[in-house]
Amino acid sequence: MNQILVTKSSMPDLNEYMEEISSMWDTHWLTNMGPKHKKFQEELCSYMGVENIDLLTNGHMALELTLQALDLHGEVITTPFTFASTTHAIVRNGLEPVFCDIDPFNYTMDTKKLETLITDRTCAIMPVHVYGNICHVEEIERIARKYELKVIYDAAHTFGETYKGKGIGTFGDASCFSFHATKVFNTIEGGAVCFKDKKLGEALYELKNFGIHGPEEVSAVGANAKMNEFCAAMGICNLRHLDEEIEKRKKVVERYRAHLEGIEGLRLNSIDPDVKYNYAYFPVVFEERIFGSTRSEVFDALAEQGIGARKYFYPLTNTFSAFHGKYDVMKTPVALSVSKRVLTLPLYADLAFEDVDRICEIILSCKK
Ligand SMILES: *Cc1c(COP(=O)(O)O)cnc(C)c1O
């Protein structure tokens, strides 16, 4: 049986990668902000249309160390419809997550509900650009200004995107990206933070290197989250082919839409004309009463045929057993409902059209 996984990591041609790393056999400079790190950083600034960026071991450390660098205390408003990392970054900093519900159409923070959650303990907002859908950035900025709150975007799904022509990394005080193997753009493992304030950048740079300020001074309790040279080299190679990869993903998404658009009981991702998408995910929400089958029944039907869709994001982070029932999931009813009804379908640049056709055929065979 032809197995199809939900994603497949992009890799450059082996020779291209070998050429990129070959100089390391002369320099023996393998990590600690070497020439590949520097080159990759410069290329990212220009590709993303940002002025400031720092590179880290992964997207999680980008989130966690950005919060630490901002020296925050109190409550951070976020959403539970995300990967574990977002909530964990908050809690691991000794901060308290306050969960805002999501917009039923693009699944990002519902800004109509955001203001009601602000207290005198609120210090920051950490919204998530879920599936590559862009948050209501203007409204978030307005509210953050009014209450003097920091905004840190979890931008793990949005590498390469623009909103109204502006690089997605230019919004908020900081935007954190993931270059994990499963993302649209990867450095094997990796992450980055785009930031506005150079002081934040300096703090972050020290925190990713044990808090070392100078040869004889350690001024913060830092971690180790430096991107190594092999990962940076992978990034340099993958970046050369990214536009092409995104174009191929777009074609795959168009193929899915051609089959599934207009089918009663299926809700496809909404499209915002102001966004240049990276086609990171293809979520489908099932309205069981109309479609006739539940999300889980469709998931099982696909699995039986060797197709790995994902219940992404299920369960919600505010229901994790790690939090021992501390958070009331009924406060985020839209997120709860979507998490029970959504499936993200396989999507990667080289996914064959015949496979897309087969996946859609199986889904449509579940319609009653
Ligand atoms: C992948 C992901 C992260 C974490 O990134 P890593 O590079 O895997 O550490 C954080 N938030 C979201 C929404 C993600 O999808």
Side-chain angles (χ1 to χ4, degrees), residues 140-158:
I140 289 169
E141 188 174 325
R142 184 189 70 75
I143 295 169
R145 278 225 184 109
K146 182 171 162 193
Y147 295 93
E148 295 181 22
L149 303 173
K150 298 288 181 199
V151 179
I152 306 101
Y153 283 105
D154 182 333
H157 294 181
T158 43

Side-chain angles (χ1 to χ4, degrees), residues 58-60 63 82-83 85-86 128 154 156-157 178 180 183 190 312:
N58 57 56
H60 179 77
L63 290 166
T82 182
F83 184 53
S85 175
T86 323
V128 186
D154 182 333
H157 294 181
S178 165
H180 184 256
K183 304 294 203 282
Y312 201 54

Side-chain angles (χ1 to χ4, degrees), residues 112-143:
K112 289 193 284 301
K113 296 179 182 161
L114 167 59
E115 221 164 335
T116 64
L117 298 172
I118 295 172
T119 70
D120 51 11
R121 299 195 61 233
T122 309
C123 58
I125 310 171
M126 186 176 263
V128 186
H129 298 305
V130 184
Y131 302 135
N133 294 343
I134 304 301
C135 294
H136 304 293
V137 288
E138 285 116 347
E139 190 57 10
I140 289 169
E141 188 174 325
R142 184 189 70 75
I143 295 169

Side-chain angles (χ1 to χ4, degrees), residues 94-108:
L95 296 158
E96 227 172 287
V98 172
F99 295 98
C100 183
D101 210 351
I102 58 169
D103 176 321
F105 301 103
N106 87 347
Y107 318 123
T108 68

Side-chain angles (χ1 to χ4, degrees), residues 178-311:
S178 165
F179 304 149
H180 184 256
T182 55
K183 304 294 203 282
V184 168
F185 169 74
N186 85 80
T187 62
I188 308 168
E189 291 259 11
V193 182
C194 298
F195 52 88
K196 283 217 175 76
D197 182 1
K198 291 234 184 336
K199 286 237 161 53
L200 169 60
E202 283 162 24
L204 190 63
Y205 186 85
E206 289 180 10
L207 287 174
K208 78 169 182 179
N209 188 24
F210 306 101
I212 295 173
H213 185 70
E216 299 186 4
E217 194 192 347
V218 176
S219 58
V221 186
N224 177 7
K226 308 180 296 288
M227 179 180 283
N228 70 58
E229 294 288 280
F230 288 86
C231 289
M234 190 71 165
I236 290 166
C237 294
N238 275 338
L239 193 59
R240 287 186 195 120
H241 308 286
L242 183 64
D243 288 342
E244 211 180 299
E245 293 260 312
I246 290 178
E247 198 49 42
K248 285 160 93 181
R249 283 175 169 271
K250 180 175 182 218
K251 295 268 167 24
V252 172
V253 166
E254 284 167 356
R255 188 86 174 186
Y256 269 125
R257 283 192 175 273
H259 286 294
L260 303 178
E261 197 107 66
I263 301 291
E264 288 197 346
L266 297 187
R267 204 164 79 221
L268 309 187
N269 206 19
S270 57
I271 297 173
D272 181 344
D274 288 326
V275 178
K276 181 179 150 263
Y277 285 102
N278 63 4
Y279 304 93
Y281 298 90
F282 192 72
V284 178
V285 174
F286 293 83
E287 312 279 357
E288 183 194 343
R289 254 168 296 162
I290 306 169
F291 191 71
S293 291
T294 63
R295 174 274 300 272
S296 294
E297 286 163 349
V298 177
F299 177 89
D300 292 342
L302 288 166
E304 253 167 52
Q305 305 290 322
I307 295 160
R310 277 195 64 189
K311 298 172 189 175

